[in-house]
Amino acid sequence: MKRNLLGILVALALCLALSGALAAAPSKTTQDLIRPQPILTANGAVLTDFVQIPAVLTPAAQTTLADIAALVASSQPVAAYFPEDTRAQLAALLPPELPVENLTMAEFASLSLGEYDEAYGDLTLTLSFATAFTPEQTLIAMVAYPGADGALAWLALPAQAADGALQLNLPADVLKAAGRDLILSVLIG
């Protein structure tokens, strides 16, 4: 009996000693798995380091994700989070047989952009995520940036799968207005 008790105590001591080391090691999170690919500008130039993925979500993205999670936890659809005008944009991008309420959020990320030059025009952005997307899926990129009033301005953009990655076109006017930080929520139907 004493031997069993001693064995349990030694095992417990080892677990406690190792837990600090495990907590200090970074884990693989969704943010770790997002890989931006070179970006194609409207004039055909390639930008290699224009998009960076921060190691942690920005405060605005953290708040947004928490708000969406609370909404979904209360059995509401993800789309209910977005402003009414954005939901209308979203609905216009969907096939008639896919109601907005059936969309789920597949990915969520903060994006830090480089210095935008108007000569770039629209940018074609390709991001690889932990989720591998397929051409059969309906993909919508919900993009947010701080508006002039400080509140997040949301925009629904069509997206498509490209060899498992997400590909979307960021319009020049959005890039000019957005500044450096974007929030990206990928909805899938």
Side-chain angles (χ1 to χ4, degrees), residues 14 111 121-122 144 159-160 177:
L14 282 172
L111 306 178
D122 295 352
Q160 61 273 344

Side-chain angles (χ1 to χ4, degrees), residues 138-151:
T138 299
L139 301 171
I140 305 294
M142 302 300 293
V143 176
Y145 56 91
D149 61 356

